[in-house]
Amino acid sequence: MARMIPRLVLHSRRYGWLYGVFLLLIGLGLTDGPNARATILASASASAAAQQHFGVWMLEPGGSTAPLMREAGATWTRVAISWAGTERSPGVYHWGGADSQVNAARAGGFQILLSVMTHPSWAADTPCGPIRPEHIPTFVNFMKAVVARYAAPPYNIRYFELGNEPDNSDATSYAWVGGCWGKGPNQAAGAGGDRYAELMKAVYPAMKAVNSGIIVTNGGLAYDAWLTEGGPFDPNFVTDFLAAGGGQALDAINFHYYHAFAYRWGSVEGKAADLQTRFRNATGRTLPLILTEMGHPSSKPADSADPNTYSEEDQARFVFRGYAQAIALGIYPILWFQDMDRPHLSGGYSYGLLRSNLSAKPAYTAYRVLTDELAGTTFWRRWTNLGNRLQAYTYTGSGKTRVVVWREAGGSALLPFPVAGAGASLRVVTREGTQRLIADGSAED
């Protein structure tokens, strides 16, 4: 995608023609474009203000990045607590470590999605995988205690996640992802999507009995990088999970989306639609969606065989694209992975909005611009009939309209904007925060 500012030509019919060379945020005083159609893509949390969807996963929720993330507009974070560290022997709880993590996020002003990870050795063969059957009741009691503690004041946490990427099948080399319930050559003892479903079916009603207002969700699904294509994830995990009734034991579908897999899904929309359809067919319910990880790195390891190319500019573009699409789908919350570059903990990739020295990357600036501009708005509609060159998403509220626009393909493209009347103007904001006002009748008309 080209990076220059587009030029607009305003005609007597009061249409602004946007020549596509972008990734842009456009703040406008305008009426609906002739290509616009009211296409609401999903209803989950559709009433939530756009800015409230933004989150970030910080490995240290009380660390030096927290104020920078709040300044950028992040309202959510994901806090992982350890079952092994909290219940060191059956029935004996030590809440100090978990409280410290939760309180650090609260002190930073974040809403919290609480993720429970790391099984104790007395309950499971691996810290990431299946719990021994005799200790399923022990885990159920632990999760009841977690809800009783953290869903109540002063914490008031509403979202609870069981593990992370449970479809991982490699308990040897990839245990660090937080889950390993998938089947594969290096699987954990007793692995399978059906086993994870049995856990969810045991723990879900117990947690809801403690507090019916909470949202219980699966550990975020990787749902790509499958064993069949050289990755560690079980391609049959979701099928097995749903066949065993696991889809009835959660309140939302939790998944991950990384732009490197756009070749498979097209976009976050494609992956979300695939999962939502599969769960709907299995359960008869249209479940809301959660993204506990969405990201795109700015660089890869020097010796990587990854054929994709990465840059800080591409990462910044994806901030606009990913959030515009995910918010339009009603996905809530949406957590960027991650706050700052930690290549040593991310396979050598740099996923952060900030560099390791805390300096701002273009992605951080794009994130901040987007949260600022969408403040007070909600998703209204996606523009259709734009062909395969442009994408446009309209957000309205607080007396303003914002349209997030980018170009998908090469070459020029036209996008008409009917303005409100003679003398009206278009305010054009780039992902770098550069602004222009282009008025009807001005020299640029």
Side-chain angles (χ1 to χ4, degrees), residues 296-300 310-312 315 341 349-352 361:
H296 188 60
S298 57
S299 66
K300 62 183 177 182
Y310 303 101
S311 71
E312 290 190 349
Q315 184 187 42
D341 288 341
Y349 288 82
S350 297
Y351 285 98
K361 293 161 73 173

Side-chain angles (χ1 to χ4, degrees), residues 356-398:
S356 298
N357 63 4
L358 300 187
S359 62
K361 293 161 73 173
Y364 176 87
T365 302
Y367 190 103
R368 186 176 60 194
V369 168
L370 197 56
T371 59
D372 284 348
E373 293 295 336
L374 294 185
T377 71
T378 58
F379 171 67
W380 181 24
R381 65 183 60 190
R382 174 185 176 181
W383 295 46
T384 59
N385 299 334
L386 297 180
N388 63 355
R389 291 189 174 182
L390 297 178
Q391 292 267 6
Y393 294 77
T394 301
Y395 293 79
T396 63
S398 304

Side-chain angles (χ1 to χ4, degrees), residues 253-336:
I253 306 165
N254 182 5
F255 72 108
H256 297 166
Y257 181 75
Y258 289 91
H259 189 52
F261 294 93
Y263 72 87
R264 175 178 296 282
W265 305 112
S267 67
V268 66
E269 293 176 348
K271 190 171 186 179
D274 185 281
L275 280 167
Q276 203 165 45
T277 298
R278 294 196 64 182
F279 275 73
R280 183 186 303 114
N281 291 342
T283 67
R285 299 186 297 157
T286 299
L287 291 166
L289 299 159
I290 293 173
L291 263 172
T292 43
E293 292 181 27
M294 181 176 74
H296 188 60
S298 57
S299 66
K300 62 183 177 182
D303 59 350
S304 174
D306 182 349
N308 295 300
T309 57
Y310 303 101
S311 71
E312 290 190 349
E313 293 301 311
D314 285 340
Q315 184 187 42
R317 292 187 186 98
F318 180 66
V319 168
F320 265 49
R321 172 190 292 195
Y323 271 98
Q325 293 178 327
I327 295 171
L329 290 167
I331 299 174
Y332 178 89
I334 306 159
L335 278 68
W336 182 268

